[in-house]
Amino acid sequence: MIPRANAVATIPTTSPAHGSITGGKRINNLSWKIAGAAGDGILNAGRMFAKLCMRDGLYVFASAEYPSLIRGGHNHLDIRVSDKPLASHTKWVDLLVALNQEAVDKHASKIIPGGGIIYDGDTLKVSVESLKRSDIALFPLPLLKTASACGGPIMRNVVAMGATIGLLGVALSSFIAILTETFEKKGDAVVQKNIKAAQAGYDLVKGKPFPVSLKKQPGPQRLFMSGNEAMTAGAIKAGLTFFAAYPMTPASSILHTVAANEKDYNIVVKHTEDEITAINAAIGASYAGARSMTATSGGGFALMVEGLGLAAQTETPLVVANVMRPGPGSGMATHSGQGDLQYVLHASTDEFPRVVVAPGDAAENYTLGFEAFNLADQYQLPVILLSDKYLAESYCSVDPLPHQLSVHRGKMVTTAQQNYKRYALTKDAVSPRARPGIPGCMFVASSYEHDEEGNECEEPAVRVAMHQKRFRKIEQLAKTLPQPKLIGPADAPITFVSWGSPKGPILEAMKLLKSDGVATNFLQLMYLSPFPTETVSRILKKAKQLVLVESNMTSQLGSLIREQCLITIKEKILRYDGRPFDPEDIVAAIKEMIV
Amino acid sequence: MTISLADLTTQETPTWCPGCGDHTILASLKNALAELVIDPKDVVIVSGIGCGSKIPHYVKTYGFEGLHGRGLPVAMGIKLANPTLTVIAISGDGDTYGIGGNHFMHTMRRNLDIVHIVQDNQVYGLTKGQYSPTSKKGFKSPSSPHGALETPVNPLALALTMGASYVARGYALNVSQLKELFVDALNHKGYAFVDVLQPCVNYNRANTPQWYQENTQVLQGNDPANWDEAMKLARRTDKLPLGLFFKEDRPTYDGEVSVYEKGVPATRDISNIDLSMMLKHYV
Ligand SMILES: Cc1ncc(C[n+]2csc(CCOP(=O)(O)OP(=O)(O)O)c2C)c(N)n1
């Protein structure tokens, strides 16, 4: 696909929906990529750049691709900056910082006409001939030599950053502020060296023209957060008091984030010996009255399945995050996919109800990360937050998080009771829940089928009553859940149907399609269990052309819709190579469909 | 406050065979709890799955009958969420040393302040008699018709090497000693492990009361502060010693969890958490 020309002026752009044209320059619409080997400091440099832009009132979106190893390999970080909200990365690049030859070879073709490439002219051979492109600007800069002169070759990334902001017309002082903050802990000498390297990089491009520039704009104080961090913030806001997990990419940063906050928020954090321990300990803590959670990826989730049934059978509230990566087996640890939908919907022995909810962006990770605890408590069942690597590890500028959220703990017994029955068959099927320490309510939470008191019981009638009780709760719950809504014009000829992280690329694709005169709308499904069958059926029946977008091969949401709504979606855009959708690929697929 | 045995008795009738060691383990545990006058509302008995694991249903305290092998993680979650509770984990040898072996190992090195009782009948009772991790070599069972080929787990030696701070062995039919061991274990600050040898009248024809009579001996005159001596005793295969092998005071895991300074996590007020402390890192 060829990058389109901007409608206003003929400056090529990654997306005409972002930025503006002033004085022959494209303002506040940038796609910047830094690429090199693991250990080159790509993430650090990128994070500083993104934060700097965010503080200038701009929207940012940062996503990284990296292999599952510690040194070497090929890493790249993509940062997009705009004057308007950004939902995803873009396939194309305005300015590439290439820290090795592989970075040039892999990414030069993605630079749009008029864009540029910053690289080390002393070590890399890059030319118009070798690139077979004369439409991009080359910036061969002595990155290594300059970094060494400023105090160490390790600061190559900082020199490149200095050059980046120089080309983009950003004030060096904002960069210096971030550098100071970042390296403060390492002492003044380190800070000074980095400032020197930044200044040197900045000076290297002085007077060199570049068609994109960034300008401050007013805005609220936003947060530069990853999906995992936002989900953790939601959980902490909900009163998370116990968190147990075993590290597994891409869920680990939830563990790290909770641990970093354990003292400030009085949370017991346990890195356990395995995922079986994690879920059972979380259940124990919840039984004791704590709001508790565990987080893992597919392999760890497999080890938790028996525990999930324990939470269901004992009606113990529990929040489990499954941050998906491609499988099966160890699969691709550092990549993304949505292959676990049917798995988390069905993972169990026998049948029991659960809530499965899939946030689609960082802000939803926060609100649903919060809400998950209310649902778990109010309905006393497991709630699964289903996310994936692209959502979990991409960073973006998040608008100020809503803080007027209310905690609902459901039917918690706080004082002594007469004739207490933990599993009393009530009208709404939810029974008052006591915790150890409450007088007069001693009961056994048993993983065996039990009667109202909690005593083991295998009588057919009791079994039926209890099995139905567990399911009745979710019927109640289904009535209270927010219903999915169409995003975009109701009468659009094309309706995207998706869940989870493809939301971002779909929203950006919709903007691209709109500027090409193609109207689309989008049905994002968040609550996947219980499934909002009626609403979805009604919306899908009204829609003109349905297009399913999912990161798996067998269109698992498509199967769920067919099962629940008896509607088959024939047009599908599926991707399962471990990478997120590029908005441009969605656009291309739609164009192919409509010709 | 006084606590009688009746206070600790539930309506449920134990489903164990007559002559099963679980009856006397239950009685000894209730006696110990009554003697120590621990308020039953502050006690949680956590088990796994097995014949012996039904015990929470027979003691009027809080109880949790979890999954096979997974009692210890549940006990850990309860204790860490509310360290003011007295938490007793109890389950069989198959549950603890077989399927739950990983949890056993890590709970010991953690020195969590809980009591851990293992109902060690050297056989799988509930699933009808297969050999267990503590069955002796050559033990014939439905899953080892020609005799078990593995060397049995030595629970006491394992506990000593993994850093358990209280290591004892009791015998189900020596009820007075067993109660004393339970009292002592409940008083111990740290992970207190009591492996309780017990007959299984139905499925273990090798380790009968008569066999225990001949092959066990109450410990006398040993120094529980002496780890080397404890290890030597643990490795004895003739005349299995019964009593306290080892005891040491050292910091407990829950004692070192710093967040308790602000109160019990499970019961703290969470109605309006202020996120500003966390969010300042993201601006
Ligand atoms: C995951 C799982 N695997 C197997 C079982 C079947 N099972 C129940 S109890 C048990 C063994 C019981 O032996 P032990 O733990 O020594 O306890 P006992 O019955 O002898 O008291 C087994 C294998 C189960 N409940 N769960």
Side-chain angles (χ1 to χ4, degrees):
Chain A
M1 223 193 92
I2 306 149
R4 66 222 47 246
N6 187 286
V8 186
T10 48
I11 301 177
T13 174
T14 55
S15 169
H18 296 276
S20 59
I21 306 286
T22 315
K25 278 215 179 206
R26 179 143 50 81
I27 314 294
N28 291 344
N29 176 7
L30 170 78
S31 167
W32 180 79
K33 186 192 278 284
I34 181 165
D40 279 347
I42 286 172
L43 286 180
N44 257 341
R47 239 173 249 176
M48 284 190 280
F49 176 53
K51 232 178 180 179
L52 180 164
C53 297
M54 183 186 76
R55 286 183 186 176
D56 280 353
L58 301 172
Y59 293 89
V60 297
F61 187 96
S63 55
E65 291 290 329
Y66 61 101
S68 183
L69 45 77
I70 303 303
R71 290 260 172 243
H74 184 71
N75 288 17
H76 60 98
L77 174 71
D78 295 22
I79 294 179
R80 223 179 148 180
V81 186
S82 171
D83 55 345
K84 298 181 195 73
L86 277 167
S88 80
H89 70 286
T90 162
K91 189 173 191 156
W92 308 113
V93 182
D94 292 305
L95 183 57
L96 168 69
V97 175
L99 294 177
N100 61 16
Q101 190 63 46
E102 196 180 359
V104 178
D105 299 344
K106 277 206 151 101
H107 305 294
S109 62
K110 296 174 192 148
I111 301 172
I112 68 170
I117 168 167
I118 294 174
Y119 60 99
D120 197 320
D122 298 338
T123 55
L124 303 185
K125 294 277 155 279
V126 181
S127 63
V128 169
E129 293 73 39
S130 70
L131 296 176
K132 298 192 186 73
R133 293 190 66 167
S134 55
D135 57 350
I136 58 177
L138 303 184
F139 301 102
L141 308 176
L143 299 177
L144 195 63
K145 214 188 284 167
T146 312
S148 303
C150 295
I154 192 166
M155 294 184 304
R156 207 159 52 121
N157 56 352
V158 178
V159 177
M161 284 288 315
T164 295
I165 65 160
L167 285 177
L168 298 170
V170 176
L172 186 64
S173 55
S174 349
F175 186 36
I176 289 177
I178 296 236
L179 275 173
T180 309
E181 245 175 70
T182 311
F183 293 108
E184 223 161 27
K185 276 178 258 135
K186 298 190 174 168
D188 192 50
V190 176
V191 173
Q192 291 311 322
K193 272 197 281 189
N194 276 283
I195 292 177
K196 214 169 138 193
Q199 175 82 53
Y202 192 82
D203 292 343
L204 285 175
V205 296
K206 218 170 231 166
K208 295 199 160 102
F210 194 70
V212 185
S213 74
L214 299 179
K215 295 229 162 8
K216 271 189 190 193
Q217 67 179 29
Q221 189 182 61
R222 298 201 178 86
L223 302 160
F224 185 62
M225 284 189 125
S226 72
N228 273 352
E229 288 165 346
M231 183 188 283
T232 309
I236 292 178
K237 176 74 187 163
L240 178 70
T241 29
F242 184 89
F243 183 87
Y246 187 82
M248 186 169 190
T249 308
S252 303
S253 61
I254 300 177
L255 169 62
H256 305 164
T257 310
V258 190
N261 286 283
E262 64 181 348
K263 289 202 178 188
D264 287 342
Y265 289 96
N266 194 23
I267 303 165
V268 179
V269 180
K270 187 75 199 82
H271 163 175
T272 54
E273 57 266 26
D274 54 31
E275 287 88 350
I276 297 174
T277 312
I279 192 165
N280 281 278
I283 291 168
S286 176
Y287 162 85
R291 280 203 150 174
S292 82
M293 178 180 183
T294 181
T296 185
S297 193
F301 189 82
L303 296 181
M304 292 186 179
V305 173
E306 197 189 15
L308 207 62
L310 174 66
Q313 180 67 282
T314 58
E315 300 192 43
T316 308
L318 179 71
V319 176
V320 182
N322 178 6
V323 186
M324 293 177 285
R325 66 195 224 183
S330 300
M332 301 204 283
T334 58
H335 295 282
S336 206
Q338 294 185 294
D340 290 358
L341 174 57
Q342 292 287 348
Y343 166 48
V344 303
L345 285 172
H346 297 286
S348 77
T349 54
D350 206 321
E351 47 196 9
F352 60 80
R354 77 226 30 219
V355 175
V356 176
V357 56
D361 58 32
E364 288 170 3
N365 260 356
Y366 171 76
T367 45
L368 295 174
F370 177 91
E371 191 54 25
F373 287 87
N374 277 350
L375 293 175
D377 267 349
Q378 288 173 296
Y379 296 93
Q380 302 177 8
L381 43 62
V383 176
I384 299 166
L385 285 160
L386 192 55
S387 166
D388 63 33
K389 182 261 172 183
Y390 181 58
L391 173 56
E393 293 191 353
S394 294
Y395 283 75
C396 62
S397 48
V398 182
D399 279 337
L401 297 173
H403 55 90
Q404 303 291 55
L405 304 172
S406 348
V407 167
H408 300 294
R409 298 227 59 185
K411 295 186 188 172
M412 285 278 264
V413 174
T414 51
T415 51
Q417 304 287 307
Q418 293 280 310
N419 302 323
Y420 176 69
K421 288 181 180 167
R422 168 64 185 94
Y423 299 102
L425 294 166
T426 60
K427 202 159 156 258
D428 64 2
V430 181
S431 324
R433 182 163 76 96
R435 59 161 177 80
I438 308 275
C441 296
M442 275 90 78
F443 75 97
V444 179
S446 176
S447 70
Y448 282 113
E449 190 60 274
H450 44 256
D451 61 17
E452 287 182 274
E453 265 109 45
N455 301 319
E456 276 181 36
C457 184
E458 299 176 352
E459 287 305 317
V462 172
R463 155 68 179 178
V464 169
M466 285 297 162
H467 205 52
Q468 288 179 347
K469 169 193 200 294
R470 293 186 286 269
F471 275 93
R472 274 201 293 132
K473 291 192 294 189
I474 200 126
E475 284 163 24
Q476 277 302 117
L477 187 158
K479 290 180 197 148
T480 67
L481 288 179
Q483 296 299 302
K485 287 197 247 340
L486 273 179
I487 303 173
D491 58 349
I494 293 168
T495 297
F496 290 109
V497 182
S498 188
W499 61 285
S501 78
K503 176 186 182 182
I506 290 173
L507 292 179
E508 289 300 324
M510 286 167 72
K511 294 178 200 168
L512 291 170
L513 286 163
K514 188 178 167 197
S515 66
D516 286 353
V518 182
T520 56
N521 59 29
F522 168 35
L523 181 66
Q524 180 202 0
L525 293 171
M526 267 190 273
Y527 286 96
L528 298 155
S529 169
F531 194 79
T533 308
E534 270 176 45
T535 310
V536 173
S537 300
R538 185 165 37 76
I539 294 173
L540 296 188
K541 274 179 197 150
K542 265 203 218 142
K544 297 184 180 110
Q545 168 75 66
L546 297 172
V547 181
L548 189 70
V549 184
E550 284 190 75
S551 288
N552 56 57
M553 190 172 142
T554 55
S555 58
Q556 298 186 18
L557 175 65
S559 305
L560 182 61
I561 289 173
R562 194 159 59 230
E563 175 190 322
Q564 295 287 333
C565 310
L566 304 177
I567 292 172
T568 303
I569 303 180
K570 291 198 198 73
E571 295 293 351
K572 298 167 192 173
I573 305 175
L574 305 172
R575 180 164 190 171
Y576 41 88
D577 61 355
R579 273 65 179 178
F581 285 101
D582 296 319
E584 293 79 4
D585 291 348
I586 297 175
V587 170
I590 292 297
K591 294 213 164 159
E592 228 167 83
M593 272 174 218
I594 56 184
V595 286
Chain B
M1 183 179 183
T2 57
I3 291 164
S4 67
L5 287 183
D7 292 334
L8 290 167
T9 304
T10 64
Q11 309 280 311
E12 296 293 289
T13 317
T15 50
W16 301 314
C17 308
C20 172
D22 285 329
H23 293 289
T24 46
I25 294 174
L26 169 64
S28 306
L29 181 60
K30 279 161 64 177
N31 278 321
L33 288 171
E35 182 174 320
L36 289 172
V37 202
I38 309 174
D39 192 335
K41 77 171 173 49
D42 296 322
V43 177
V44 190
I45 300 178
V46 183
S47 69
I49 293 295
C51 289
S53 287
K54 298 191 185 292
I55 201 163
H57 291 283
Y58 312 134
V59 190
K60 204 160 174 56
T61 62
Y62 277 92
F64 197 107
E65 185 186 24
L67 298 168
H68 188 42
R70 315 301 172 200
L72 283 176
V74 172
M76 172 169 75
I78 295 169
K79 183 70 187 179
L80 292 181
N82 188 347
T84 66
L85 298 170
T86 297
V87 179
I88 302 163
I90 180 162
S91 52
D93 47 302
D95 185 294
T96 308
Y97 308 135
I99 191 165
N102 199 27
H103 312 306
F104 178 51
M105 175 164 95
H106 291 282
T107 307
M108 290 192 284
R109 70 186 182 90
R110 231 164 249 156
N111 199 29
L112 202 65
D113 184 19
I114 61 170
V115 171
H116 183 197
I117 299 166
V118 180
Q119 298 144 306
D120 187 359
N121 57 8
Q122 293 139 82
V123 76
Y124 280 30
L126 194 63
T127 45
K128 304 196 189 297
Q130 301 86 350
Y131 80 110
S132 94
T134 46
S135 300
K136 71 175 194 321
K137 195 166 181 204
F139 185 81
K140 287 193 176 153
S141 79
S143 62
S144 58
H146 311 293
L149 297 177
E150 290 138 317
T151 308
V153 166
N154 182 333
L156 286 97
L158 191 59
L160 286 164
T161 24
M162 287 317 301
S165 63
Y166 182 101
V167 179
R169 178 157 58 204
Y171 172 46
L173 301 187
N174 186 344
V175 287
S176 59
Q177 186 199 31
L178 195 58
K179 187 209 69 183
E180 287 310 316
L181 287 175
F182 288 168
V183 167
D184 199 30
L186 281 160
N187 280 328
H188 176 69
K189 191 101 191 95
Y191 171 81
F193 170 64
V194 188
D195 181 76
V196 185
L197 297 173
Q198 65 171 116
C200 173
V201 289
N202 235 332
Y203 298 113
N204 189 337
R205 300 294 153 90
N207 309 102
T208 58
Q210 164 111 34
W211 184 91
Y212 285 121
Q213 202 68 48
E214 286 159 11
N215 290 279
T216 61
Q217 188 177 49
V218 172
L219 262 177
Q220 261 161 355
N222 64 315
D223 172 14
N226 186 334
W227 189 91
D228 292 320
E229 187 189 1
M231 196 59 172
K232 230 177 246 159
L233 290 168
R235 298 194 61 202
R236 269 181 76 158
T237 46
D238 64 316
K239 291 280 176 194
L240 301 171
L242 302 173
L244 175 62
F245 284 56
F246 182 70
K247 181 175 173 168
E248 164 187 70
D249 278 327
R250 63 183 169 88
T252 63
Y253 188 94
D254 36 309
E256 294 198 290
V257 173
S258 59
V259 304
Y260 297 140
E261 285 156 19
K262 292 193 207 144
V264 172
T267 55
R268 74 178 166 94
D269 178 20
I270 55 163
S271 54
N272 193 12
I273 304 289
D274 176 7
L275 277 187
S276 51
M277 235 175 339
M278 174 189 188
L279 297 183
K280 67 171 190 251
H281 300 292
Y282 300 100
V283 295

